[in-house]
Amino acid sequence: MTVTLTSESNGQVSLISEAARGDNATEALADLLMGPGGVGGRPLLPELIAVVVRRGIDVMWIAQPPIHVEAGDKEGEWKIGVPEDGDDVTVFSAPQARDLLARLQAEYGAR
């Protein structure tokens, strides 16, 4: 599953939980980006902070992801904390997500 973190104009952070398919975190992010309902040929949201990918489906994560987000020391920098370690949770920064989208669009074309 994935949780997309975006910055709202009022300084708040919005979290959107969605299911995604993939054998690993990168494939799940690719499914989120290019799969049905994904951004495809559109640019990613400019207010994107990060995408958190968690292995498996957890109803509690879907309802209320235990992710802590706070502004960093520099403009546009964010500190993201998740309670689980290891291979179960992967955090992709906005630049990493945009880079993967660009590579997918170059390989497969924009939908």
Side-chain angles (χ1 to χ4, degrees), residues 8-22:
E8 301 295 325
S9 60
N10 61 2
Q12 298 293 317
V13 175
S14 175
L15 286 75
I16 303 166
S17 299
E18 300 179 67
R21 300 166 294 181

Side-chain angles (χ1 to χ4, degrees), residues 40-77:
R42 300 185 318 256
L44 282 176
L45 298 169
E47 55 275 347
L48 178 70
I49 296 171
V51 178
V52 178
V53 178
R54 183 185 190 282
R55 181 181 302 271
I57 299 294
D58 182 323
V59 175
M60 294 308 295
W61 263 74
I62 293 172
Q64 190 172 3
I67 299 171
H68 178 75
V69 181
E70 63 182 59
D73 297 331
K74 298 177 184 175
E75 179 72 27
E77 181 180 277

Side-chain angles (χ1 to χ4, degrees), residues 1-2 20-35 51-55 87-92 96-97 99-101 103-104 108:
M1 66 166 290
T2 63
R21 300 166 294 181
D23 290 335
N24 58 47
T26 302
E27 287 183 11
L29 179 58
D31 182 62
L32 175 73
L33 297 173
M34 297 295 285
V51 178
V52 178
V53 178
R54 183 185 190 282
R55 181 181 302 271
D87 295 334
D88 286 346
V89 178
T90 304
V91 179
F92 292 95
Q96 290 171 319
D99 178 64
L100 179 59
L101 178 61
R103 289 185 286 139
L104 290 167
Y108 301 107

